[in-house]
Structures are given as C-alpha cells and as structure tokens.
Amino acid sequence: QEAPAWEPTPPQERLIETQEVLADDVVRLVGFGHLCPNRMLAMALDVYEWRLMKAETCRLAMPLLALLKRFPPKRLTEVVTFQLLAHAPPAGSRDGVKNPPPPPAPPSRASQMLAIASLIQKGMLDLDVLWQYLDPSDDMLAALGSTLMSKHEEEVSQVTKVDLGASSNTKDRDNFDKNFQEFNDATYQKVRIAAALVSVNCWREAHSVLLQLAKYCKPALNHFIRSALCDLLKWLVYPLARTLAPAVKSLGDAPRPAPEVDTTFGCMRRFEFGLEALEAAEAIAKDGAAGKQGSTINGTPGGGQVAAPLALRPTADFEELFPQIRLVLDHLEYFMHTDVMLLTLLWRAVLAHVQQLRKAAGCDPDSTTPVTVDDRIVALIYRHLLPACSLVANNPFLNDTMWSVLQHLGVFQRFMIYSCWEAMYDGFLLKLVYERTKAATRQILKRVVANAEKKDLIAHQSHFHLCKLCHANPIPCIESMLKDVEIGFNVNMIQPYIECTNRCADMTVDIMGYMFSRTCSKPSSSTRSLLNQADANLAPWLVNLGEFIGRFYKRHPQANLEGLLTIITKQISSEGAEGKSTGGGESLYRVVLESLIEHMGGLQTVADMNTQQLLCLAGGPRLKGASVSLGAQDDTSKKDKARKALLTALIGQNLVPVLWHSLSQQRHYFLSEDFSEAHGGSAGGLKLLGLLFDGNHECFLKVTEFLMLACEKDQYAELVPPLGQVFSMFEPSLAFLAIRQGLPPFGRPAADDGAGKAAGEPAAAEQSATLTELERVVRLTLPEGFEEQGLTVHFYMTFWRLALPDVFMPSEGYERAAQQIQAVIKDIEVKKKQIERKERDFVHNRDYKGLRKEIAKLQELAAKLQEEHLQQKLNHKQVMARLEQEKSSWFSKPSPKATALFVSEMLCARVLTSHADALFCSHFVRMLISLKTPGFQLLDFYNSWTIMLTQCIRSCSEREAQIFGVFLREMMSYVVTLRKDEATFIAESKENPCFHRNYYEGSAVVEWTQLSDIKKGHSKWEGRIYKAIATGLASDEWMERRNTLLLLSQSHESYPLCEKYARSIASSIENLRQKEQYIDIKTLANSLCVKLKSQKDRWVDVQPAAQQKDVGARRSDDAASAAGSRKPSGSGPKSGLGASGAGKVDGDSIKVPSETPQRDRDRDRDRDRDRDRDRDRDRNRSVFIAGGGEAGASGEKRSRRDSEDVKDGGVSGAAVDKRRAGDMAPREERLEKRRRGERDDRGVGRSGGGSSRHTGEYRRSGR
C-alpha cells in the first residue's frame, strides 16, 4: 500500500498573501476585459456555494471571500437579491399558449442559503435589506400560522367528541395532518435563511430572524429550522455528554469511533464558522475596537439591538453550557421530538449535573439520598424535555433515561415537575396528544376483564398496551383509569385494573403516586363531595379510590409513599386543629390510609366478624389472617416488602406522632360544642357524628395495630412519644393501647420489673424506669382516693398492661385453622392429579406449577401457625403464673365500692374500645374467677356492670353498639352456662371466694352462692338490660333504634334468654318492623326476628301456656294478686327477680305464684270449654238472624249455656232473664258485663281467669 502524498502546510501569512494576489488578478482581468462586475460577482457566489458544500475543508473558498470583500456590501447585496428573486419568462414567449405555466417559485436551495448566511455572518451582506425581498410575506406567514392553529383546535374537538355520524366527516378528518405536513415541509426563503443562519452558528442574526418569525407562526414546526436547532444543540452538548459513558466497543474489543452528532438529517452544518467569527471579534475586542453590532429586521424586535451572543460555543462545563442551551430551547420549545438522540444527550447532560451535586453533597453513589436542583434545571425539565418526550412514540429507553435523572430528586420537587408538566398539555400538539392518549386508554380499558383468554389479544395483553401509552404520556393515561375507578360502575374491576399496571415503568409508578396525592389534596366541593349528604355515608368514589390506592401500592411496593402520606396527614390534621366545621370534609381521606394499612400492611379486617373470627383475635397475626382469608396465599417476600415500605415511609417522615396527635385533636373536635352547634340542628346530625367518630377511632386502631405488627418491641418503644404526652392526648383506654406494645413483657417474673435488678444490665434498668414513669403518670390520671376505695394501683396497671392473648388461649382456633389448611391442600392435590391424568407433559404446565407453589405456601403457613401457637401457649402460661402470684394484692379492701370502682374505672373505660378489648374484659372477669381471686364477688359484680354499662347503650355509636353486643353475649353466656349445668356450677364455685354471697372479713361465717341465686340473678340482670333495650327500641331517633338492633344482633345467642323478656323484645321488634319507614332498620329488624325465633328452644324461666298469652296482652289478674305490688302491663320490667322459686339476693324479697300440674290441667280444660262456647255462640247467632227468630235447637243451646253460666257464677240471674226476653246486646257489651260480674262475684278464679283471657283475645282480634 502506497503512503499518501505529502502536502506542505503553508503558513497563515503566505495564505493571506496568496488570497490577496488572486483577488488582485481577478479584478485586473475584469477591468482589462470590460466584464460586468455583477456577473462576475454572481459567478463568484456560485463557485463559493459549490466549494462550501464540499465535505472536506473549504480552504479553496477563502480566496473567493477575499475577492468578494473587494466590492462594497451594497453591490453584493443587490446581486444576491437578484439571484433570490423569481424570474418569469418574457411575456411574448407565452403568446398563443392556452394554459401558460405558473410562474416559477423563488429559489431556496440549501447550499445557496448556507453561502448567503456565511456572508451575512462576515458582514458582507445587509440582512435588513435582503429580508424585504424574501418570500413569503408576513401576512402570508400569519395566515399560515392561524390556519394551522384553527385546524389543531378542530382536530382536538373531534377527538373529544363522540360523533354518531362519523361517516359524514371522514373527508375532513385528515385536514390537520395535511396542513401540519405542508408547513413542516415548506421551503420558504425566510424559513431557509433562518435555518442557514443557525447552520453557520450566526446566532445573533438567527435569533433576530426567529423572533420575527415567531410573531406570525411557530418557526420550530418547520423541519428545516427545527433540524438546524437540534443539530446546534447536539453540537453544543456533545462534549459534556460524551464524558458520561465509556467508549462503546465492538465485538472485536476494538473501540468504535464516536458517532458524529453535527447533524442527524443529512444537512450540511458549518457551526465552526461561528467560532471563527467569535475568535475574530474577541481579537478585535482585545485591540480596543468595538465589537460588531447586532442587526435589526424591519426595526424589530425592540427597534434596536438584539441582546444575543455573536455565536455559541460548545463546552463541557455545565454552568457555562446551560445559558447557551436555554437560548436555543427558547426558540425550539418542545418540538425536538423528531430527534431522539438530542433528547438523550440533554437528559444525560442534566444527569451529569445531578451527579456533580450528589458528589458535592457527599452522597454515596449507591444510596437513594435525594438532591435538590435549582429552578433553572426544573424549568428546563418541565418546559422542554418532558413535553418533547410526550410527543415521542413508545420508547422504553428514553423513559428509563428520564427516570435515571428524576429518581435522584426529592419527592416534592418531582411532584412539582409533574404538576407543571401536566399544565403544559394545554400547548400546541400536546393538547391533541393528551386527548388521543385518553381516548386510546378508554378503548383499552373497555376490553379489560378479570380472566382474559389468550385468543383475545387486546384483553390478554392489555397491560402491555397500557404501559406503552404510559411510556410517553402517563398523566392522561392514569387520569382516565382513575376516572373509571371513581365512577365505580363495577368495583370488581379494581383488581383487573391493578393487573394492567404490572409492567409499568418506575417513572409511571411514581407519577401514579403524584396523581394519588393530587386527588387527595383536593378539598371537598359541591360537585365532588366526600360525604353523601342524603345518607351521611362515605362517597362511593372515595371508597373506590382508597381501595385502588391500597391495592396499587401492594402491587408496587417500590413506589415512594412520602408524598401521599404527607398529604393524608395534613388533611387529617386540618379538621379539629383549626376548628373547621366542614361536615365530614378533608379528614375523610383517612380511608386511603386505612386501605394502605389493610393491603400493604397485611392487616385484613372484617366489618361484621363471626364468632370464630372473634375467637381468633386472641391469637397471633397469622391466625387472624387465616381466620379472615384462607385461600390463595400471597408471596411472603412480597408481603414483607410491602409492609416494610409502608413502615419506612411512616417512620422516615416521622408521621406516627403527627397522626396520633391529629386523630386525637379530631376526636376532641367531634365531641366539642363547636361541632354540636354546627351539626346538631341538621337532620342526620347524630348519624354524621357517629360516622366521623367511628371512622376516627378505626383509623387510630388500624395505625396502632399496624405498628404493633410491623415493628419490634424496641423499635415501637422509640416511636412512642413521652408517656405524659400520650396520656394528655388520649383517654386511658387509647393511651394504654398506644403504649402497650412498647412496655416490657408481662410474662416475665415480677422481680424482673422491679428496681432490684442488677445495675450491670442496662436493658432491665431501662424497662424498670419505663414502668416507674408509667406508674407516676397513671397516678396523675386516677381519681382521688382510688386506693382508699379498695383497689390497688398495681391491679389497675396490670389490667391495662394485659392484652387478650395474655388472658385467653384460642387453641380451638389454631386447630380449626390447621384443619382448614389441610382440607385446602387436599383439594389442590385432587386438581393436580386431574392435570396429571389429562396431560402427558404436565410438569411444564403453568397451572400445575401454580398448584405446586400454592401447596408449598400452605405448608409453610401451617408450620408458622404451629410455631405461633407454641409461642402463644408459652406466653399465656407465663402470664397466668405471674397473675397467680399477684392476685392476692389486687383487692386491698373488698367491698361494693371496690367492685363499683373496678367496673367504672377499668371495665367501662375499656370495653368499648375494640372487639378485642370487649373480649378481653369478659375473659379477664373469667380469669379472675378461675384464679379464685380474693375480694372479687360475682353477684355484686354482675349487679354493678348491668347498672353502669347499660347506660352506655343510648349514647354509643354503631361500632360501639356492636362491640357492646359482643361483650353482653360473652358475659351472659357465662351465667347461662352456670345455670343450665349444675355440675359446671358446682365445679366453678367449689371453694371459690368469687362465689361468696356477701363480702366477709376475718373468720366470719361464709354463705355461698346457690344455683337458685344464679337463676334469680340472671332474670334480674336481664330485666335491667331490658329497660335500656326497650327504651332504645321505642326511641324516636333513627340511630338509637338501629344501635339497639345491632346490639341484639350480636348478643341474641346469650341475651335475651328469659322467656318474658325475650317475648317482649321479640314483640317490640316485630312492631318496629311493621311500622318502620327506613329500609335499613326494617331489614335489620326482620333478620333479628328470625334470629330470636331460632333461640326459642333455649329460653329459660318458661311460663305455662295459659300465662304466655296473658304476658303478650296484659298481666293476668291472678299473677297480679300473687306477685303483690307489680306495675300495670306495658310499664316495663320490674327491678325484682322474675324467676320462679323463692330466695333472697341483695335484700330483694321475691314472691312468685305457685304453679301446680293440677292448675295447668284446669286451665287447659277451661280453654277447650271456651272454644266450644264461642263456636256455638257464633252458629246460634247466624241461625237467629237468618230465620228471623229463635230456632228450637238454638234456644235449647242458649238455655243450656245460660244454665252453665249461672252454675259457674259468671252471670247473674237478671242477666239471664233479660237475655231470654230477646234483648240481644252487642257481644262486646255482654262480654264486658260478664267480666265485671266475675270480678264482683268470684274475684280471681279458674273460670274467671279463663273468661278474662278469652275477652282479651277478642279485643286483640278486633271482634
């Protein structure tokens, strides 16, 4: 291979001398030959244009410039203007031509414009003069711009409207695309000269030209201007961008040359001309000469100089480069979507700047510590880069590049960028893209189904199509999805929508968080109310939104939660802290937080738990979860990851104390006079209060329970504010609930909590200090004289420190859960065998693999349940051992005051907190009995709580009514168990001081409680509860009636079971069902009637059949005389015991009528006789009326009836004579007289009782 020929490089002085000699020779030859100077200039311009377009160096064009400089600029401008004008053929040449050709268009060759631009840059042409002759006119440019804008608006309106007659407008559908393409491809001279000025980096003149064009249109919409600006930007940014990544190597490990970025569109760019002009200007400036002044075009803009640099210069320094980028982007706007390479370079340049900031801040390269960029970078991102990416078709690489920059910014700065990006969608082209994306999203969501078939390519791949749209325009896509979710046309579609986001990019997930935060930050309005004013319930759209948010973050635990949780916390804090009265306003966004805790935290809740689920509340978190849902198990690693993400977000922003304080302030506000005055007079104000109060309480319970589940004991203790602050925010029940997890475990020996622990163990000393501080705070909250009334502070703290798993072991629940798991595994094994029979290659079957994984998960769950069961057993054993040691120190002075104090300060304060606390209170009482606690008296305790707690029925909310129903069921079930099984009663009461009949001191003779006392006490206690129940059922308030029914629906298995109260309550509910106007109460009453009837076989103290009817209408006279002083019928239950037998409980003397079998037989006989007598009377009366007189047979029957009446002493002889005379008095009058005669003659007797009962039956039937 021959070596290239050597070419000498002449010095610069020799080149300049050569150029001058050549120019002199040309000018001399023109003069000698008498040639036209204009023709010679035109020829020189053509040669210069040809030399300039060569790819190699244009050194040969330099002598031509030296020649052109010999002529004045005016002459050269005139020649250039002549060349740019359109020259039509002479008029005579078109004679005789029918259709003369149109006049030629003005020349606008790219090479010609590039040569002219280079001459303008060198000051050899006057741009102001030349501009006046360029095509088209300003009016034409303005018309083109306005037409394009109007077509754009029409296209947007066609996308947003549903045109039922679309076939009629198909001819106008592509108008915008045609106009846009025409303007994009336009080769007007003014457009070409602007692109040429940019191509030679003559920025000062290019800036002036672009500003002039911007008055009439958007110059960047033209391909030539847009491509020139894009190439200039790439040329400027490339030195910085190429330093970010190493050189790309080919397959042979040889580095490939870096790609040229001067142009992406095959156009000739001479950006180095600007650098030469800039260097020359700087040299002149150093010599003290004035720099070149800027040109003006038609006196615009500003009528003077244009403040712009002479040329732009590439650099690797971002601070020096950024102002130049902004100058170009001000003209390019966001229309650089056609150059993806430029977009990538700009994002990489911003990434380089962000990395420099992180390095300056000392951040670890692998950490996620955010940095804050200045407003210049923020404006660059949301005004130019993100809108440009919105116009790019699906490009996952570009999406990842954007997120590589944005992920390093803080969440609030990112959300601000997203908000400004959303506002940019009102711009040209962006608005059309926005509407088209929404329309495409709606079309995809229409095809989304729960289990799509593979044949349906759109429905089965809906997640793929949706994520493609989200790569470029996630905001309109997410907005359309959220709109469908809020409409709530089908709540079952929430999970399929979540599945559509499976393949979403990280940036889309982050923007979804922004959309959630934006939605939750909106205040309540008349068109978007958070609460339905008609029924005072949460708006369906809010419930659906909360469900969607919870499921979305469970599916994408990597998403940032800081922004959403901060917004929700502020909304909760807004109500109560500022005393606002919004009637269920922004604080209702708490349902979003509850949904996050439920789905991300794995804290599944059931609104109406059954008995088995309530039993499992005493177990660990796995047993609770298994009791709620025991089907397809989620991936444990994903559940732990989601729970950890939520906990990190709450702790990272220190939101736990803020949430507790906000919920406390809101709770106090709901119970304040301000809220009562604002909503007390409105209809449904009580229901609104109950809804808000219950919602606030449930939110507090869920937040606290989630923290208990997700945190270790030490970590939880660090989250809890100082004890004094906690007790100042909440009442004791909620305060102890908040701090219980952070206290030392109660199951350890009592000596470990004392101060006698060795000082060398700091953990023990810290726990001892915690308990000491707790005791100090507790003493400040207790009423005065607490210990003097018979209880100790130690007993008080023991009661509040313990939880339900400490006092009750749900072994039955664990066994049932294990059996259910095994049953599910067997069902799955059957499905596996079916697949094995059907398919030969079943090992690779997707369903078969899924079943195997499901079995593995269930087996893992069973093992963990067993482990949890053993841990619960150990804890329960340790707790009971310690309680056995300390039980003798709880009641210092056993007395009725101590029992009443236990009920009022401990039981009443805790029982309505939650279902678990209600069960704890009932099992704590049973634990006191099983431990044979000295000082605790069962009869007196039941007397106290049935008096005190029943007062809460009328003042409780719906949630509290259900909780109280559970407590009532558990407490009364223990009494029912004792009274129904004598062996159980004997075993429970044997040598148990809790069954003492009274309080005894010293060596006093002890009187033990008998089974008859329990029976009489049961009737008395049910009577007390009945008073509150009857008041609630007869109330005029909707909420009181509903709460009473809810209470009974929970307690019907154990209360009411005494027959007279059960019948009375059932009758009241039946009347309520018939008269009630509200559908919900009517439905609830109907259901409750069925439940009460199902318990009829379990009723106790059942009265005879004859008395059962008297109880329904009025008290029978014989029962009234036997019972002594008893109130009239309908006045409610009595305070005395209503059970049969004699006895004395707490000094109440009970007298009940004696019932014998003989009396029952007599009453049955009287009832049969009265039935026959009524049948004969009806038949005789019909015969008498039809025959016009007495028939013989009827007369005989009437005489026989009269004789029987006289024989029985029920009717006097005068009455018989009067009736025989034919005076037929009305039946009601005769029966009333007969009733009075019975009372006057016989008093209360067997036949009299039957007649009175018979009369009551006639009155009830209306006869």
Side-chain angles (χ1 to χ4, degrees), residues 589-872:
Y589 281 114
R590 56 172 171 73
V591 299
V592 178
L593 177 61
E594 296 174 8
S595 181
L596 287 173
I597 292 175
E598 178 180 353
H599 293 94
M600 291 191 70
L603 192 65
Q604 299 181 356
T605 58
V606 179
D608 190 9
M609 291 183 286
N610 55 31
T611 305
Q612 301 302 329
Q613 291 171 340
L614 288 172
L615 178 70
C616 294
L617 290 178
R622 290 188 177 87
L623 179 61
K624 296 176 185 177
S627 65
V628 175
S629 63
L630 189 62
Q633 299 295 314
D634 295 333
D635 190 355
T636 306
S637 60
K638 292 182 179 180
K639 290 173 61 176
D640 295 341
K641 185 177 180 180
R643 184 183 297 116
K644 184 179 179 180
L646 180 58
L647 179 65
T648 303
L650 287 172
I651 297 177
Q653 297 294 314
N654 197 25
L655 296 178
V656 176
V658 179
L659 277 173
W660 278 348
H661 179 74
S662 302
L663 292 172
S664 169
Q665 295 294 324
Q666 192 181 108
R667 184 184 182 92
H668 295 326
Y669 169 67
F670 291 151
L671 300 178
S672 64
E673 294 183 0
D674 296 337
F675 187 86
S676 178
E677 292 176 358
H679 304 280
S682 60
L686 193 59
K687 181 181 180 181
L688 175 63
L689 174 61
L691 173 70
L692 297 177
F693 188 80
D694 285 348
N696 174 277
H697 191 83
E698 289 177 0
C699 184
F700 171 79
L701 292 179
K702 289 182 178 180
V703 171
T704 307
E705 190 172 354
F706 165 72
L707 294 174
M708 293 179 181
L709 178 64
C711 295
E712 298 293 337
K713 230 176 196 352
D714 298 337
Q715 186 182 12
Y716 187 89
E718 295 176 357
L719 294 177
V720 177
L723 297 179
Q725 182 180 349
V726 176
F727 278 84
S728 65
M729 290 191 299
F730 300 106
E731 54 268 28
S733 60
L734 300 185
F736 274 103
L737 178 63
I739 69 173
R740 188 174 293 126
Q741 178 70 10
L743 296 177
F746 189 84
R748 298 182 313 170
D752 290 358
D753 291 341
K757 194 73 177 174
E761 299 183 11
E766 182 179 354
Q767 293 176 359
S768 177
T770 301
L771 294 178
T772 303
E773 175 65 15
L774 177 61
E775 183 176 354
R776 184 190 68 81
V777 175
V778 165
R779 290 184 179 275
L780 296 176
T781 60
L782 289 176
E784 297 181 2
F786 179 84
E787 293 183 302
E788 287 75 6
Q789 296 183 33
L791 295 182
T792 61
V793 176
H794 177 69
F795 178 53
Y796 182 86
M797 292 180 59
T798 299
F799 174 82
W800 287 108
R801 285 182 62 185
L802 294 176
L804 179 59
D806 297 327
V807 298
F808 177 67
M809 184 62 225
S811 298
E812 181 182 353
Y814 279 103
E815 294 174 0
R816 183 181 296 105
Q819 295 174 359
Q820 292 176 352
I821 291 176
Q822 294 302 323
V824 174
I825 291 177
K826 289 182 179 179
D827 294 340
I828 297 177
E829 290 288 352
V830 172
K831 296 179 181 179
K832 282 180 57 181
K833 291 181 179 179
Q834 292 176 355
I835 296 177
E836 291 173 358
R837 294 192 192 100
K838 292 180 180 179
E839 297 187 15
R840 177 179 299 177
D841 193 15
F842 60 86
V843 178
H844 301 287
N845 185 284
R846 180 178 298 178
D847 296 335
Y848 188 82
K849 292 180 180 178
L851 293 176
R852 291 178 57 184
K853 291 181 180 178
E854 193 64 30
I855 291 177
K857 293 178 183 178
L858 289 172
Q859 292 174 346
E860 181 183 4
L861 176 61
K864 291 183 178 179
L865 272 175
Q866 185 178 3
E867 180 182 357
E868 184 180 83
H869 188 194
L870 296 176
Q871 292 177 353
Q872 294 289 324

Side-chain angles (χ1 to χ4, degrees), residues 788-1030:
E788 287 75 6
Q789 296 183 33
L791 295 182
T792 61
V793 176
H794 177 69
F795 178 53
Y796 182 86
M797 292 180 59
T798 299
F799 174 82
W800 287 108
R801 285 182 62 185
L802 294 176
L804 179 59
D806 297 327
V807 298
F808 177 67
M809 184 62 225
S811 298
E812 181 182 353
Y814 279 103
E815 294 174 0
R816 183 181 296 105
Q819 295 174 359
Q820 292 176 352
I821 291 176
Q822 294 302 323
V824 174
I825 291 177
K826 289 182 179 179
D827 294 340
I828 297 177
E829 290 288 352
V830 172
K831 296 179 181 179
K832 282 180 57 181
K833 291 181 179 179
Q834 292 176 355
I835 296 177
E836 291 173 358
R837 294 192 192 100
K838 292 180 180 179
E839 297 187 15
R840 177 179 299 177
D841 193 15
F842 60 86
V843 178
H844 301 287
N845 185 284
R846 180 178 298 178
D847 296 335
Y848 188 82
K849 292 180 180 178
L851 293 176
R852 291 178 57 184
K853 291 181 180 178
E854 193 64 30
I855 291 177
K857 293 178 183 178
L858 289 172
Q859 292 174 346
E860 181 183 4
L861 176 61
K864 291 183 178 179
L865 272 175
Q866 185 178 3
E867 180 182 357
E868 184 180 83
H869 188 194
L870 296 176
Q871 292 177 353
Q872 294 289 324
K873 278 186 177 180
L874 177 62
N875 176 69
H876 179 67
K877 181 179 179 181
Q878 294 176 345
V879 170
M880 295 304 295
R882 178 172 178 179
L883 293 176
E884 182 68 29
Q885 297 176 1
E886 300 176 354
K887 65 180 182 180
S888 58
S889 62
W890 291 344
F891 289 85
S892 58
K893 298 178 181 179
S895 63
K897 290 185 178 179
T899 302
L901 189 65
F902 168 64
V903 174
S904 61
E905 295 297 327
M906 298 165 66
L907 211 64
C908 287
R910 185 169 183 176
V911 69
L912 298 181
T913 304
S914 65
H915 287 88
D917 286 294
L919 293 174
F920 169 82
C921 291
S922 62
H923 287 286
F924 185 83
V925 173
R926 295 192 183 188
M927 183 267 298
L928 292 177
I929 299 173
S930 64
L931 290 177
K932 301 181 180 180
T933 306
F936 181 75
Q937 212 265 355
L938 179 64
L939 293 179
D940 190 25
F941 167 74
Y942 268 83
N943 287 333
S944 297
W945 82 259
T946 51
I947 293 174
M948 295 183 183
L949 285 179
T950 51
Q951 306 303 319
C952 302
I953 295 178
R954 297 191 61 188
S955 60
C956 63
S957 60
E958 290 188 16
R959 179 191 59 85
E960 293 174 340
Q962 293 179 342
I963 293 174
F964 187 81
V966 173
F967 174 77
L968 179 61
R969 180 187 66 200
E970 295 296 323
M971 295 300 295
M972 298 307 292
S973 66
Y974 180 71
V975 178
V976 173
T977 303
L978 290 179
R979 70 167 292 169
K980 281 196 171 184
D981 190 357
E982 186 175 0
T984 303
F985 172 76
I986 294 174
E988 286 283 329
S989 61
K990 185 178 180 180
E991 298 181 0
N992 194 337
C994 299
F995 286 87
H996 287 176
R997 190 172 178 81
N998 293 304
Y999 296 96
Y1000 301 101
E1001 296 181 0
S1003 59
V1005 179
V1006 176
E1007 183 179 359
W1008 295 89
T1009 301
Q1010 303 299 321
L1011 182 59
S1012 59
D1013 298 332
I1014 296 296
K1015 292 181 179 181
K1016 290 181 289 185
H1018 182 215
S1019 179
K1020 180 178 70 174
W1021 299 326
E1022 283 209 356
R1024 289 176 178 171
I1025 300 172
Y1026 170 80
K1027 292 181 180 180
I1029 296 295

Side-chain angles (χ1 to χ4, degrees), residues 458-476:
I458 296 180
H460 189 262
Q461 299 293 327
S462 57
H463 60 283
F464 172 75
H465 299 293
L466 192 69
C467 293
K468 282 182 60 177
L469 293 176
C470 290
H471 280 155
N473 295 279
I475 292 180

